Amino acid sequence: MNRVRFKEGGRSLSVGKILCLGRNYPEHAREMEAEAPTIPVVFLKPSTALLEPGGKIVIPSFCRQPHHEVEMVVVVGKTGKDIRPDDAMDHVEGYALGLDMTLRDVQMEAKKKGLPWSVAKGFDTSAPLSEAVPRNAVRNPHALDISLRVNGALRQNSNTRNMIFGIPEIIAYLSSIFTLEAGDLLFTGTPEGVGPVHHGDTLEASLESVGTLTVRVE
Ligand code: MG
């Protein structure tokens, strides 16, 4: 699947870039023993990382510590470059719920050596994605409860109001570097409570006004 599907009307968009923010919640930065950023921390996943609802996450055999990260995802609806914060919401087609699956041991090793995160963040099935809802289905994207359960146990539970950079700032910043296009996905960062997953685990994510996403770890 390289498409983002919308619940209503059965529309779908071909996914282009997947741009992701790191450390966009202060409590998550703290648990990673990292500073809260003053400019966004950005990395990419390829569109082949997408996994549809009900799918199975396949952890590469060399990883010893795969982690879950639940995130609100912004679906870009139109092309833009150097978008001003005031115009940013016009570029939002809708919202979805995603998991930024992370090979934490691989990422830690990369950080230590000053190497890129592409393997730790971009492997196949590293981006489970829910169906999207249109922008007008969400009254305020900066006030949504977001949570993740693993085998029924609550692991992550926060609200998008805790994001350091809000959607207009994220879009303005990213579009100063990358031309944004319809079908690009913006993973907006994870709240605290990230942790390990194991073979056979069931992950159930929820985002207020958007919906739920259930996937399993193979
Ligand atoms: Mg993340």
Side-chain angles (χ1 to χ4, degrees):
M1 158 187 107
N2 282 14
R3 301 187 75 82
V4 52
R5 296 179 213 288
F6 283 76
K7 277 183 190 171
E8 291 157 36
R11 285 183 312 126
S12 73
L13 281 173
S14 182
V15 172
K17 295 180 288 304
I18 305 177
L19 295 163
C20 308
L21 262 70
R23 301 177 205 156
N24 198 28
Y25 286 75
E27 291 297 326
H28 172 60
R30 197 161 303 150
E31 74 182 350
M32 298 304 292
E33 298 178 352
E35 304 260 312
T38 52
I39 57 168
V41 174
V42 180
F43 60 91
L44 289 100
K45 291 177 188 267
S47 61
T48 45
L50 290 171
L51 178 68
E52 53 195 18
K56 280 190 180 167
I57 297 165
V58 181
I59 304 299
S61 59
F62 54 82
C63 173
R64 295 287 164 263
Q65 199 183 38
H67 269 195
H68 56 76
E69 298 190 357
V70 65
E71 313 200 356
M72 173 169 68
V73 177
V74 174
V75 182
V76 174
K78 67 173 184 181
T79 298
K81 174 75 180 166
D82 295 326
I83 301 163
R84 294 183 310 148
D86 284 351
D87 299 328
M89 299 311 279
D90 295 341
H91 291 259
V92 175
E93 184 73 15
Y95 302 95
L97 173 58
L99 294 175
D100 167 18
M101 297 304 299
T102 302
L103 309 179
R104 192 70 71 199
D105 52 339
V106 176
Q107 184 197 29
M108 290 302 185
E109 196 62 25
K111 282 183 181 176
K112 220 186 294 174
K113 294 179 177 168
L115 294 172
W117 298 359
S118 303
V119 174
K121 292 286 197 177
F123 63 96
D124 286 353
T125 73
S126 64
L129 184 73
S130 75
E131 288 184 312
V133 299
R135 178 177 62 183
N136 62 15
V138 175
R139 195 184 307 166
N140 179 0
H142 299 104
L144 303 178
D145 288 331
I146 185 166
S147 66
L148 179 76
R149 290 176 185 272
V150 179
N151 302 328
L154 189 61
R155 294 278 188 83
Q156 293 189 265
N157 188 23
S158 185
N159 188 286
T160 57
R161 77 169 63 88
N162 297 320
M163 294 196 304
I164 295 170
F165 301 105
I167 295 164
E169 291 167 280
I170 292 171
I171 288 177
Y173 180 73
L174 292 176
S175 72
S176 75
I177 304 160
F178 309 98
T179 298
L180 298 185
E181 299 175 298
D184 287 349
L185 302 179
L186 314 180
F187 277 62
T188 57
T190 195
E192 68 277 14
V194 303
V197 298
H198 302 95
H199 294 296
D201 282 352
T202 299
L203 278 53
E204 299 167 271
S206 176
L207 178 61
E208 188 180 354
S209 301
V210 174
T212 60
L213 169 64
T214 302
V215 289
R216 289 188 56 197
V217 182
E218 188 180 70

